[in-house]
Amino acid sequence: MGEARGGCCPPMDLFRSESMQLVQLIIPVEASHLTVSYIGDLGLIQFKDLNAEKSPFQRTYAAQIKKSGEMARKLRFFREQMDKAGVSPPKKSVTRTDIDKDDLEVKLGELEAELVEMNVNNEKLQRTYNELVEYKIVLEKASGFFCSALSSATAQQREMESQHSGEESLNTPLMKDQEADSSKQVKLGFLTGLVPKEKSLAFERIIFRATRGNVFIRQAAVDEPVIDPVSGEKTEKNVFVVFYSGERAKTKILKICEAFGANRYPFSEDLGKQAQMMTEVSGRLSEMKTTIDAGLFQRNNLLQTISDQFEQWNSLVRKEKSIYHILNMLSLDVTKKCLVAEGWSPVFATKQIQDALQRASFDSNSQVGTIFQVLHARESPPTYFCTNKFTSAFQEIVDAYGVARYQEANPGVYTIITFPFLFAVMFGDWGHGLCLLLATLFFIIREKKLSGQKLGDITEMTFGGRYVIMMMALFSIYTGLIYNEFFSVPFELFGLSAYACRDLSCRDATTDGLIKVRPTYPFGVDPVWHGTRSELPFLNSLKMKMSILLGVAQMNLGIILSYFNAAYFGNSLNIWFQFIPQMIFLNALFGYLSLLIIVKWCTGSQADLYHVMIYMFLSPTDELGENQLFPGQKTVQLVLLLLALVSVPWMLLPKPFLLKKQHENRHQGQSYRPIESTDESLQLEVNRDSHDHEEFEFSEVFVHQMIHTIEFVLGAVSNTASYLRLWALSLAHSELSSVFYEKVLLLAWGFNNVIILIVGFIIFVFATVGVLLVMETLSAFLHALRLHWVEFQNKFYEGDGYKFIPFSFALIDDEDE
Amino acid sequence: MGFLVTTLIFVVTGIIASLCARICCNMGPSTNLLHLTLIITATVCCWMMWAIVYLAQMKPLIVPILSEGE
């Protein structure tokens, strides 16, 4: 299947996927790591998993994978720490020092331990520091309570002394009681601390209830949120002072404090002691601060050194992990001295792979080289297209529908042109095309710079499709010139308009219209049409017919590609019983319609094409009368109708019967064929066997063929109608842009006022960019996509292959964890 | 300019473009064939579009009727 057929011209790039081969490598164990590493650098082999039945833990290199996973975890930990500390790794590591993976493992372990220890220490210090800060706040606030209480108490005492009839007011401070009751010798105890603000009310209430009201609580809000030493989060807190009497009350209050997460701090009534504590706390605070700063500095230094080499380590660890992953997919030989690998590789890469294998066995001082041999594949090989930066985006458009079957004709080749072209048919305006071109040129010029960066989702997508957009813009400029629209304004770029008034006075120009005085406008739509009353009828008729013509052309291309497929795979059944009747059916109906359209244009006939087409089916024998476009039309139509009718059973019936016959023949022939001795034919036999032994279900094949036929016959009608979207979208685009131009820009112009003009211009720009350049681009893109996926590709494209995903370090580096 | 002359211009443009591609980026027979296919497809698409619009205006059934007020 792989060899090129035809021979008239060389195989076209991209038209068929690369021919692949199933290769087997027998690698000595001592060279295996290096070999896989070199193959990963090359990136041209897709390994098969030969241990699919084994769980990840049963595989040979499970331990190494675990180790690499551990290293990756450490690196992730470093990355987290670096992110937290705001240390960013340099884009490109300056020094590429060679480092062994065992050394790296040890080093990573050491660094992690160091970092963890630093973190623990830092945390401890931070906690103490936060406690001190809270303590300081308590000292400040509580001494405030006591001072105010003391002053008001002395004031009240003085008052009491003067009046001796003190009514107990709610505000009576406790200090007074204490002093007044000093004779009773009941010492009141008190507790001070901090409680979170949101819990403070409940806290107060519970203490009050628990002690049956035998407490006095004072609270004061702390102005700024403080960092809670336990949780390390910023919280709003209140300073509280609780006065109580008796040991039992104290234990209760302590328990409540614990439950509410209120931190208590010792406090002394004595003013002197307070001051002493204050200075002590402040001193320790500043001391702590310098210690913490020094610790943080040291930690940042460590992180900085890590970040310098982080990327290098990271890629090394990833490589290691992927290498062991691949090694796990290889099967161990019985002698345990070599590993056996199987995988797909493109035929053209054979030389490169062999070179890499040789280098690997040489570099690892292996005594035996790796054995490279090509196997015969039973299953279908993966699909691999060598795309470049220009073609890859187009290929992605095709792949998004389905990856091509191995070596089937790739619609991507034509999509490169027809996709932007159909887009442009819907987006024809050379002003908008220029804007689009400028935008995409920005991406293309800064391509090198942008490709290394992380972009946003939408920018990333636009950047990936920059060449698609460039082609779309170029074609829109072309179709814009054809439609003669520049932001909906026509220009007489290619000579004078073909139309002029009937006479000098130009009186009936608005009633009967102009007449054609010159030869047809040479390129595109005559500018005179713009803004006339007959513009829409004319453009509608033109664009509708254009959609049909373009559609029929593209569908024919699709069917022709199905011929290439059939010829390439040597399937003459498909040529005779699929390609030919399909071609006849489509062209007998819609090819004929296209012909009629062209004939009508060339002759200027008044014939009604709808009528012709409808009565071709309803009463083909009737005379056409005034709808006749050319002599002998009736006979032609009869013949075409007959051909179309014949081609339906032609598509449906013979193929399943012939397939059945073929199958039977082959089956019989096989049982009586003499066994040939040569190795080659035996392998061929084996190869073919795998295909033939599938059971042949006639009913299934027949139903499949029936579905296929019905799909094609109905599809011919519906797909042709589907191409009318070209007309609809192109109409919508030109109408919208003329509305923006006339109703916004010209209206603003009419006011003769600079401010209104500026506002109008801004609105015009935003409407043009937002609606026409972004939304219309998207919708035209989607419709062009649909026309390619459905209308074009269903004529020939199977799209049931699978993609070639080589083992490559370049690909591993791309994906982010 | 008639239909045939402009068609000829399209053909000549296509030929020049394929020659340019052949000379400027000659990258082996298969890639050249791809370039040729792309250029031919593009030329045919552009020509079709132009030809359709040109033919439609050759023998007009509707003539432009100016709207009032112009």
Side-chain angles (χ1 to χ4, degrees):
Chain A
M1 256 198 276
E3 65 265 33
R5 278 164 218 269
C8 70
C9 39
M12 177 162 40
D13 262 11
L14 217 63
F15 189 60
R16 309 253 173 226
S17 62
E18 294 296 332
S19 49
M20 307 295 276
Q21 57 192 5
L22 185 64
V23 297
Q24 189 182 45
L25 309 176
I26 301 172
I27 314 167
V29 170
E30 66 267 23
S32 60
H33 187 273
L34 204 63
T35 308
V36 172
S37 156
Y38 281 3
I39 287 173
D41 284 331
L42 196 64
L44 281 170
I45 297 188
Q46 174 179 357
F47 285 101
K48 279 166 107 178
D49 192 353
L50 299 179
N51 303 322
E53 75 285 353
K54 283 189 190 170
S55 77
F57 306 106
Q58 292 171 321
R59 300 190 178 201
T60 329
Y61 293 93
Q64 279 88 338
I65 286 203
K66 212 173 145 197
K67 254 188 207 168
S68 321
E70 185 65 15
M71 277 154 84
R73 186 195 60 72
K74 280 171 190 160
L75 284 171
R76 273 202 300 280
F77 171 68
F78 292 154
R79 148 114 4 126
E80 262 168 38
Q81 294 292 322
M82 273 149 50
D83 284 347
K84 262 190 198 164
V87 180
S88 61
K91 275 279 161 259
K92 289 212 167 60
S93 51
V94 199
T95 49
R96 279 251 157 214
T97 45
D98 271 333
I99 184 156
D100 191 37
K101 78 166 183 38
D102 298 325
D103 294 349
L104 182 63
E105 197 184 342
V106 174
K107 195 162 183 184
L108 286 182
E110 281 170 4
L111 282 173
E112 195 202 16
E114 203 176 338
L115 200 59
V116 166
E117 200 188 326
M118 272 185 183
N119 282 347
V120 169
N121 284 344
N122 258 339
E123 230 162 72
K124 263 189 206 156
L125 286 174
Q126 200 67 46
R127 192 175 166 156
T128 335
Y129 178 76
N130 288 337
E131 272 172 9
L132 282 173
V133 169
E134 284 199 339
Y135 191 18
K136 197 178 170 192
I137 290 168
V138 169
L139 282 176
E140 282 167 0
K141 291 278 175 187
S143 70
F145 289 148
F146 280 83
C147 277
S148 65
L150 198 63
S151 60
S152 61
T154 43
Q156 211 147 23
Q157 207 168 18
R158 234 175 280 142
E159 218 174 281
M160 285 230 307
E161 275 165 12
S162 60
Q163 290 188 349
H164 281 288
S165 63
E167 290 158 286
E168 294 281 323
S169 79
L170 270 174
N171 284 344
T172 315
L174 249 143
M175 296 298 286
K176 189 209 90 185
D177 289 350
Q178 210 181 338
E179 280 192 353
D181 298 346
S182 56
S183 54
K184 287 184 185 172
Q185 291 298 318
V186 178
K187 181 75 178 158
L188 282 182
F190 64 89
L191 286 165
T192 50
L194 281 166
V195 68
K197 202 171 217 166
E198 64 262 28
K199 291 183 188 166
S200 61
L201 261 180
F203 176 68
E204 193 170 334
R205 203 169 296 149
I206 292 211
I207 288 186
F208 197 76
R209 282 187 193 154
T211 55
R212 304 218 173 88
N214 288 328
V215 283
F216 180 74
I217 304 175
R218 262 300 182 81
Q219 295 207 27
V222 182
D223 308 327
E224 279 175 7
V226 288
I227 300 169
D228 189 65
V230 181
S231 65
E233 280 166 10
K234 278 202 169 181
T235 37
E236 301 254 342
K237 285 195 171 184
N238 278 358
V239 174
F240 67 87
V241 186
V242 187
F243 295 92
Y244 58 88
S245 64
E247 275 305 302
R248 279 181 66 192
K250 186 182 178 181
T251 46
K252 273 182 191 168
I253 292 169
L254 282 178
K255 272 182 189 159
I256 293 167
C257 282
E258 226 159 79
F260 274 85
N263 305 322
R264 287 170 294 98
Y265 296 97
F267 187 74
S268 152
E269 280 173 72
D270 188 11
L271 276 176
K273 259 189 188 165
Q274 276 178 28
Q276 192 192 337
M277 268 168 147
M278 197 71 182
T279 46
E280 199 177 302
V281 167
S282 306
R284 275 184 64 194
L285 261 179
S286 61
E287 205 173 280
M288 213 56 147
K289 181 93 186 137
T290 42
T291 322
I292 288 174
D293 281 351
L296 278 180
F297 179 72
Q298 207 181 347
R299 182 163 164 269
N300 274 6
N301 265 353
L302 184 70
L303 285 177
Q304 196 66 52
T305 45
I306 291 175
S307 81
D308 284 343
Q309 301 207 295
F310 182 79
E311 278 308 314
Q312 194 194 342
W313 293 346
N314 202 13
S315 75
L316 188 76
V317 168
R318 273 191 205 170
K319 271 187 191 177
E320 281 302 318
K321 200 173 174 186
S322 62
I323 287 173
Y324 284 119
H325 212 75
I326 292 297
L327 285 175
N328 263 343
M329 287 161 76
L330 314 186
S331 70
L332 203 58
D333 190 79
V334 269
T335 57
K336 301 224 168 188
K337 279 186 182 149
C338 46
L339 288 164
V340 181
E342 273 179 34
W344 294 105
S345 81
V347 172
F348 72 81
T350 311
K351 186 89 185 60
Q352 286 163 279
I353 291 170
Q354 278 169 335
D355 278 353
L357 294 178
Q358 250 172 14
R359 263 190 300 132
S361 54
F362 181 77
D363 288 353
S364 57
N365 297 322
S366 166
Q367 282 168 346
V368 267
T370 302
I371 298 165
F372 175 94
Q373 57 188 20
V374 178
L375 300 180
H376 279 272
R378 277 152 195 261
E379 75 257 64
S380 170
T383 308
Y384 175 45
F385 292 109
C386 287
T387 52
N388 53 27
K389 63 183 178 181
F390 178 75
T391 50
S392 64
F394 292 99
Q395 191 60 48
E396 302 247 311
I397 288 176
V398 175
D399 285 349
Y401 174 81
V403 176
R405 178 181 282 188
Y406 177 62
Q407 295 221 314
E408 82 171 318
N410 178 17
V413 173
Y414 297 95
T415 303
I416 293 175
I417 298 298
T418 54
F419 181 82
F421 175 70
L422 287 191
F423 168 87
V425 171
M426 296 180 264
F427 196 78
D429 188 312
W430 59 283
H432 298 152
L434 277 177
C435 295
L436 217 56
L437 186 65
L438 288 181
T440 188
L441 278 182
F442 168 80
F443 280 117
I444 290 173
I445 288 167
R446 302 177 47 137
E447 187 175 77
K448 282 237 170 65
K449 206 176 155 207
L450 286 172
S451 58
Q453 284 175 6
K454 272 244 169 275
L455 305 162
D457 262 357
I458 293 176
T459 332
E460 180 93 57
M461 218 153 64
T462 324
F463 180 70
R466 60 198 181 279
Y467 287 104
V468 180
I469 300 176
M470 183 189 79
M471 293 299 281
M472 295 190 320
L474 289 177
F475 275 106
S476 325
I477 293 172
Y478 178 80
T479 52
L481 287 171
I482 291 267
Y483 289 151
N484 212 337
E485 285 186 24
F486 176 82
F487 296 108
S488 85
V489 185
F491 283 94
E492 288 199 356
L493 288 176
F494 303 97
L496 288 174
S497 162
Y499 295 89
C501 296
R502 278 161 214 261
D503 46 28
L504 284 175
S505 63
C506 233
R507 234 178 295 114
D508 48 5
T510 53
T511 50
D512 293 343
L514 311 170
I515 52 163
K516 198 174 169 193
V517 292
R518 276 180 283 267
T520 314
Y521 192 69
F523 191 87
V525 176
D526 202 312
V528 80
W529 288 103
H530 184 76
T532 56
R533 281 198 280 155
S534 46
E535 182 191 8
L536 267 188
F538 169 72
L539 281 184
N540 277 346
S541 140
L542 164 65
K543 286 180 175 173
M544 196 165 85
K545 285 168 182 162
M546 177 160 67
S547 313
I548 302 277
L549 290 175
L550 293 178
V552 169
Q554 200 187 19
M555 286 192 290
N556 269 312
L557 176 64
I559 299 177
I560 290 170
L561 285 177
S562 84
Y563 166 78
F564 282 124
N565 266 343
Y568 184 80
F569 293 117
N571 192 342
S572 58
L573 268 183
N574 273 358
I575 297 180
W576 289 105
F577 304 104
Q578 202 144 307
F579 164 68
I580 290 179
Q582 281 186 354
M583 209 62 185
I584 289 175
F585 185 81
L586 183 71
N587 287 309
L589 302 183
F590 296 102
Y592 177 61
L593 174 63
S594 311
L595 184 80
L596 286 186
I597 290 173
I598 293 170
V599 170
K600 186 179 162 175
W601 278 338
C602 291
T603 56
S605 150
Q606 300 263 1
D608 183 359
L609 295 187
Y610 296 118
H611 193 274
V612 174
M613 286 309 287
I614 289 169
Y615 281 89
M616 179 174 162
F617 294 100
L618 291 185
S619 49
T621 49
D622 281 7
E623 284 302 322
L624 286 148
E626 59 177 7
N627 283 328
Q628 178 154 335
L629 281 150
F630 54 90
Q633 191 178 356
K634 203 180 90 179
T635 335
V636 171
Q637 285 188 7
L638 268 174
V639 171
L640 287 177
L641 192 64
L642 276 178
L643 277 176
L645 286 181
V646 165
S647 62
V648 176
W650 187 355
M651 265 183 263
L652 174 65
L653 296 173
K655 198 180 156 190
F657 287 104
L658 284 170
L659 274 177
K660 189 182 178 194
K661 204 173 150 209
Q662 248 180 20
H663 181 259
E664 277 165 1
N665 275 351
R666 213 179 286 154
H667 221 69
Q668 271 182 340
Q670 216 168 43
S671 34
Y672 293 108
R673 189 182 297 163
I675 295 164
E676 286 173 55
S677 55
T678 52
D679 225 25
E680 188 74 14
S681 69
L682 211 102
Q683 258 169 343
L684 264 176
E685 199 72 22
V686 170
N687 209 5
R688 215 195 268 169
D689 263 4
S690 62
H691 286 288
D692 282 355
H693 275 307
E694 292 158 14
E695 279 302 307
F696 185 84
E697 283 262 2
F698 179 73
S699 59
E700 202 174 292
V701 173
F702 192 80
V703 167
H704 182 261
Q705 188 65 21
M706 202 157 74
I707 292 171
H708 203 80
T709 310
I710 294 173
E711 194 196 343
F712 182 81
V713 171
L714 295 183
V717 182
S718 67
N719 290 355
T720 312
S722 183
Y723 277 95
L724 289 177
R725 70 185 70 234
L726 292 174
W727 160 45
L729 266 105
S730 136
L731 185 75
H733 185 85
S734 75
E735 285 301 305
L736 269 177
S737 66
S738 80
V739 163
F740 288 144
Y741 177 73
E742 274 166 23
K743 302 290 175 208
V744 180
L745 203 59
L746 286 190
L747 201 72
W749 184 266
F751 279 101
N752 267 334
N753 182 327
V754 180
I755 296 170
I756 292 180
L757 185 63
I758 290 173
V759 170
F761 186 73
I762 289 172
I763 293 175
F764 173 73
V765 167
F766 274 96
T768 303
V769 170
V771 176
L772 293 174
L773 288 181
V774 176
M775 275 163 59
E776 278 280 288
T777 306
L778 271 180
S779 81
F781 186 95
L782 288 180
H783 283 282
L785 203 61
R786 185 222 140 95
L787 286 180
H788 278 83
W789 280 353
V790 180
E791 274 72 29
F792 178 50
Q793 291 183 6
N794 77 1
K795 300 285 182 291
F796 65 98
Y797 192 56
E798 301 285 348
D800 56 356
Y802 63 103
K803 223 173 185 170
F804 175 61
I805 306 164
F807 167 61
S808 159
F809 292 143
L811 292 179
I812 290 168
D813 282 345
D814 277 353
E815 60 196 36
D816 211 11
E817 261 120 56
Chain B
M1 273 194 291
F3 183 78
L4 287 178
V5 176
T6 319
T7 304
L8 204 66
I9 293 176
F10 270 100
V11 172
V12 170
T13 318
I15 290 172
I16 290 173
S18 17
L19 281 181
C20 285
R22 182 76 175 75
I23 293 162
C24 297
C25 29
N26 186 358
M27 293 188 288
S30 17
T31 316
N32 288 341
L33 187 66
L34 174 69
H35 290 167
L36 189 68
T37 315
L38 293 186
I39 289 167
I40 289 174
T41 319
T43 317
V44 168
C45 284
C46 290
W47 172 79
M48 260 181 82
M49 180 102 182
W50 165 82
I52 288 166
V53 172
Y54 186 88
L55 288 177
Q57 296 183 96
M58 233 168 34
K59 300 249 168 73
L61 294 178
I62 323 171
V63 289
I65 304 168
L66 300 189
S67 39
E68 313 277 345
E70 273 192 37

